[in-house]
Amino acid sequence: MTVESRSAGEDPHRFEAARQAVRALAAAFRTLRLYPLGHELATAALHAAGRAIDTYRVTYGVLAFTATPQGVVFDFSPRSYVDDVVSDLNRAMRARAAPGLRFLQPFSPGEIGELLLALHQPVHEVERAGGIAQVLISRGVQHLVIEHVGAGTALGVDALEPLLEAAKAGAGGRVAAYLEQTAGDHNVIRKALREFDRRIATWPRAAQASAWKAIGQTLASLRVSWQAGVCAMVVQSMDEPWAASLASQWPPVLAASLAAQVTTDAHERGRRVAEALRSFHQPIERVPLPPPPQLTGEEMRQSGDDLKAWPSERLRTQAMRRLAELLPTIQGARTDSRRTSAAAPADQRAEAGGPSGPSATREDRLMLTRLLIAALRQFRHYGPHHPMAAESVAQLDAAMREELRRRPAVWWEAAGDWLIVQGAALPDGDRYGQELRRHLTARGIARLAIFPAVSSEGLRTLIRMLSREPEELIATGGIAEAVRSAGVQGVEVNAPATDTPLPPETDEYREASATASEIFAAVERGETSIDAGHIQMAVEPLAVHGDPLPLWRQVVIRAHDELDAAHAVNVAFLTIHIAQTLGLGPREQMDLGVAAFLHDIGMARLSWEERLTERTRTAGTRPLRHAAEGGLLLRDMAGESRLPMLIAMEHHYVFAGHHRDLTPHSRLVALVDYVDAMTCGRVAGVRPVTMGGLLTALLAGKLPVFDPIHVRALVALTGRIAAAGVDVTAPA
């Protein structure tokens, strides 16, 4: 008998009851191998199995378990169980593509008998019948659910449910069992995780993060031949939100190891994969918000009047003209057309605070590490004022300046027995790397990052602090506190990672997100009518007539994708609050908010691959199909003005140079859509720009041309919120 050690908090009585039930079922399976179904010994064995399962049900509910290579895994426990009796049943289930069983009520011994007889059938007969689930259906079995990966699930229960339950519970063993059932099939895993991402969209953010952590860390720890290939597939899919969420949960050592493997690939794809892996852990420099601009009352009134000056008839005429322009894109859409970036040229992205630049070579990483160790040694041996110490810092400074011309940061990570430099692990045998790893770890440093803003004197101060004894540093509050107290700019020091709780979601934000998901799902199913009243009920609370800060703390979290429901909520929220700043009344605010909430609804009519190419950061200047689809879908909504229809069609026109031909309503939503889309992303290291960098660039007119008063109103608004205590620039 093999049983893994009991997990903390697990009920041993429940595990024992489940074990006895499965063992009784396995004993009946053996008996039916020797005797026909009507034999008294077979009947007795089936009744014994039924009683054992029923005993479990009375106390603990539905019995569910999964067959894995290590044994059976119950739905409440990560550990597996197997013995000589259970192993036969376990093998039969896995061989016949029935790795998961769930016993519903009321089941009968006869149904158990039909299940066990089906498991005795030759594999080819089961496959010819359409799978074991179809065999059971044909025999009238209604209360036994077969759960498996990569195909439809029998009896109305979907195949993804075991993964959803396991990830929600953080049960790594059950997540591993699910992944192992796929045998590393890339298409099956990609399809399952893509759907998983959609299904958890309505969960609280903290629960979503925990679920991805369970899957990501489980995949990282699997010891199977196909693990590295699946991880590489995930990184190659990193443009998809689910892949970024998953890979961001991998430990730095795994990312560095995979990066080293694919870097040997001479093809451009290999280099891109390596760079993507490193970007997951790349430090992001916090860029401050620009100073609040001067915005006179007259300017705000004039801008507000411009919005009010468009009567319903004029808006409707504009909407019909746009629809006529965009209709050809629906017929002529091609998913393989050339993609260009609508967001900003690469040099402008870097200027706005986004990651860029080629990866460091192995020699660069070794040299930087050795120069840092040399400087620390000189400071420790001779003191900070000795000429040898000054010379060592000068050499380090020069090498880092050269590297910082190519990369946004220079960083080291101490992870376990590894030292990771610029996202790649140094060789185990490099004595300088191991010495630096021990030095950083002893001082409670998990990551040391240096940015271009650091001065030569600041670097010298940092080396002096790092050369102090660990006890001395800890007694004075740690290295991070010492760096802050000394006023050193351009340096970030992080302690070992701990889970920082997200701010609690407000009811208003959660309900608006759920409404966005529901509307999107309804359109995907083919529904064509939009419930305007339902949407208005979700959007109205975003106007916040009380304390706005709890909602603002949700909006400034950047850990969503442009295709997520949070994007619709954020665009509506920011549009409403800029409208308030410009002096619009409650009715005009709400009309704009509802239209902003629905601006991307046309995406629901596109395939998943098309959606990825029509996001703001990849869409280019071409007419977009989702804009035309949104216009068609919303043409009968919102009465005379057709404002939601118009904004859905016009919100990308600014990228094609048509900003002067747009309604002010569309220009406002286009600005907010752009800001939220370009600063969001499941992983901080791959977001195109930071909030502070983007707002600074917009004020300077270096990015797509938006209404300057709208831009200044947005900057002034975020400045007020930051002054009230909301951290607007944190890379969360």
Side-chain angles (χ1 to χ4, degrees):
M1 179 178 71
T2 302
V3 185
E4 294 180 1
S5 59
R6 179 162 61 94
S7 303
E10 180 186 290
D11 183 355
H13 301 293
R14 182 176 186 180
F15 191 91
E16 178 60 17
R19 186 192 71 81
Q20 290 182 12
V22 170
R23 187 173 170 83
L25 185 67
F29 176 77
R30 273 192 170 183
T31 302
L32 283 178
R33 180 180 294 162
L34 302 173
Y35 303 98
L37 188 59
H39 193 279
E40 60 179 354
L41 291 178
T43 302
L46 291 174
H47 279 85
R51 286 193 300 272
I53 295 170
D54 200 52
T55 299
Y56 176 93
R57 180 196 63 78
V58 169
T59 306
Y60 303 108
V62 173
L63 174 68
F65 64 93
T66 303
T68 76
Q70 291 75 38
V72 297
V73 177
F74 301 109
D75 63 345
F76 59 87
S77 172
R79 60 177 174 145
S80 61
Y81 168 79
V82 70
D83 60 27
D84 59 341
V85 177
V86 173
S87 63
D88 286 348
L89 175 64
N90 189 62
R91 282 194 298 271
M93 290 173 61
R94 296 183 65 238
R96 288 156 183 81
L101 278 178
R102 186 179 297 267
F103 291 79
L104 307 180
Q105 287 295 318
F107 64 87
S108 66
E111 289 182 308
I112 296 175
E114 293 295 344
L115 165 69
L116 299 181
L117 285 177
L119 289 174
H120 278 299
Q121 281 187 238
V123 173
H124 68 273
E125 291 184 13
V126 172
E127 291 174 348
R128 190 183 305 126
I132 198 163
Q134 289 301 317
V135 173
L136 295 181
I137 290 173
S138 68
R139 296 178 181 180
V141 176
Q142 300 179 9
H143 300 101
L144 299 178
V145 174
I146 304 295
E147 298 174 335
H148 53 107
V149 177
T153 304
L155 309 180
V157 177
D158 78 77
L160 202 61
E161 194 63 32
L163 181 61
L164 288 164
E165 292 178 357
K168 193 169 191 177
R174 287 156 54 201
V175 172
Y178 189 96
L179 294 174
E180 287 173 353
Q181 292 162 24
T182 69
D185 186 306
H186 290 190
N187 290 330
V188 169
I189 293 175
R190 184 186 292 109
K191 181 178 178 182
L193 294 178
R194 187 182 285 171
E195 180 62 22
F196 178 89
D197 191 49
R198 291 159 57 89
R199 295 278 290 279
I200 68 172
T202 55
W203 292 10
R205 275 174 164 154
Q208 292 183 43
S210 296
W212 282 119
K213 183 176 182 180
I215 297 176
Q217 294 187 354
T218 298
L219 178 59
S221 64
L222 282 180
R223 296 295 178 262
V224 289
S225 60
W226 45 260
Q227 185 245 19
V230 168
C231 289
M233 176 275 292
V234 171
V235 178
Q236 289 165 11
S237 306
M238 65 166 291
D239 194 42
E240 301 193 42
W242 65 266
S245 291
L246 178 63
S248 66
Q249 299 298 331
W250 293 339
V253 168
L254 175 62
S257 174
L258 286 169
Q261 292 176 36
V262 296
T263 303
T264 59
D265 185 351
H267 298 294
E268 180 62 26
R269 188 179 72 171
R271 288 191 289 274
R272 288 200 306 270
V273 171
E275 191 61 21
L277 280 161
R278 290 170 186 141
S279 70
F280 287 129
H281 296 278
Q282 177 174 290
I284 303 300
E285 185 174 17
R286 183 187 290 247
V287 180
L289 293 174
Q294 294 296 322
L295 195 62
T296 67
E298 179 60 31
E299 287 176 317
M300 289 191 290
R301 280 193 298 275
Q302 182 60 51
S303 184
D305 290 344
D306 288 345
L307 287 161
K308 298 173 188 175
W310 282 68
S312 295
E313 178 63 32
R314 189 180 176 192
L315 289 170
R316 186 169 67 252
T317 301
Q318 178 92 339
M320 293 300 106
R321 181 164 68 90
R322 289 294 184 223
L323 185 60
E325 292 173 0
L326 287 172
L327 276 176
T329 67
I330 296 179
Q331 298 299 325
R334 295 291 183 270
T335 60
D336 59 349
S337 62
R338 231 171 157 183
R339 310 304 181 192
T340 58
S341 174
D347 57 339
Q348 291 182 0
R349 293 192 198 183
E351 219 174 328
S356 64
S359 60
T361 66
R362 180 176 180 273
E363 290 72 22
D364 291 336
R365 293 190 289 270
L366 289 170
M367 181 184 66
L368 288 168
T369 301
R370 290 170 184 176
L371 288 174
L372 177 55
I373 271 293
L376 290 170
R377 285 176 177 174
Q378 301 297 346
F379 268 64
R380 287 170 64 83
H381 293 163
Y382 299 110
H385 304 296
H386 194 280
M388 295 284 287
E391 175 66 20
S392 65
V393 172
Q395 291 178 0
L396 176 63
D397 192 14
M400 280 204 305
R401 298 295 171 196
E402 181 64 29
E403 180 68 11
L404 288 170
R405 276 193 278 273
R406 301 193 298 263
R407 300 287 296 168
V410 173
W411 78 97
W412 292 265
E413 292 178 88
D417 295 329
W418 297 66
L419 182 73
I420 297 171
V421 188
Q422 301 294 76
L426 288 188
D428 289 351
D430 186 81
R431 61 188 181 90
Y432 295 96
Q434 290 305 311
E435 181 179 345
L436 181 57
R437 179 190 61 77
R438 291 191 296 269
H439 188 95
L440 296 177
T441 302
R443 287 155 183 78
I445 300 172
R447 173 186 284 176
L448 170 64
I450 300 175
F451 300 96
V454 69
S455 65
S456 297
E457 183 56 35
L459 181 61
R460 180 184 178 87
T461 302
L462 172 66
I463 299 300
R464 177 171 54 80
M465 292 174 177
L466 287 172
S467 66
R468 293 160 65 181
E469 294 299 325
E471 297 79 10
E472 185 182 357
L473 275 176
I474 293 171
T476 56
I479 182 68
E481 180 59 34
V483 168
R484 280 193 295 270
S485 299
V488 177
Q489 301 294 318
V491 172
E492 184 179 289
V493 184
N494 301 117
T498 56
D499 290 333
T500 303
L502 292 169
E505 286 181 281
T506 64
D507 291 341
E508 297 88 348
Y509 195 92
R510 185 165 52 248
E511 289 169 9
S513 296
T515 299
S517 295
E518 290 168 11
I519 298 296
F520 214 84
V523 174
E524 287 179 321
R525 291 193 300 268
E527 296 183 22
T528 57
S529 61
I530 303 292
D531 187 343
H534 184 39
I535 294 172
Q536 186 157 339
M537 287 179 62
V539 173
E540 277 180 348
L542 301 180
V544 194
H545 301 295
D547 180 10
L549 297 187
L551 261 174
W552 270 102
R553 290 191 178 96
Q554 297 299 310
V555 172
V556 300
I557 296 174
R558 301 287 80 209
H560 64 279
D561 189 86
E562 186 182 350
L563 298 176
D564 292 341
H567 177 63
V569 179
N570 290 356
V571 173
F573 177 88
L574 291 169
T575 299
I576 289 170
H577 285 265
I578 294 175
Q580 290 176 356
T581 301
L582 298 177
L584 269 67
R587 175 63 184 272
E588 289 92 351
Q589 293 173 28
M590 199 50 49
D591 288 346
L592 268 171
V594 168
F597 191 81
L598 293 169
H599 76 282
D600 269 343
I601 190 63
M603 286 282 196
R605 286 189 163 177
L606 273 59
S607 69
W608 180 252
E609 289 72 20
E610 287 177 296
R611 294 177 201 180
L612 294 174
T613 65
E614 294 208 1
R615 287 186 293 187
T616 298
R617 66 189 66 177
T618 55
T621 59
R622 61 197 168 86
L624 298 180
R625 183 183 160 199
H626 83 264
E629 294 283 7
L632 279 175
L633 190 65
L634 300 173
R635 64 187 182 277
D636 296 324
M637 185 183 172
E640 294 292 322
S641 75
R642 304 289 197 276
L643 186 59
M645 172 189 179
L646 180 59
I647 286 177
M649 292 187 294
E650 284 194 338
H651 71 281
H652 276 280
Y653 261 65
V654 67
F655 304 126
H658 298 308
H659 53 279
R660 292 184 181 86
D661 191 30
L662 300 182
T663 64
H665 314 75
S666 297
R667 292 201 301 270
L668 175 56
V669 175
L671 167 65
V672 177
D673 171 52
Y674 180 80
V675 169
D676 190 73
M678 293 301 293
T679 59
C680 75
R682 300 281 184 89
V683 182
V686 296
R687 292 171 197 156
V689 293
T690 62
M691 181 66 78
L694 180 60
L695 294 182
T696 299
L698 286 171
L699 275 178
K702 295 180 179 178
L703 296 174
V705 179
F706 296 102
D707 187 306
I709 294 180
H710 293 168
V711 172
R712 288 156 63 197
L714 174 60
V715 175
L717 179 61
T718 55
R720 288 199 304 271
I721 295 303
V726 177
D727 194 350
V728 177
T729 61

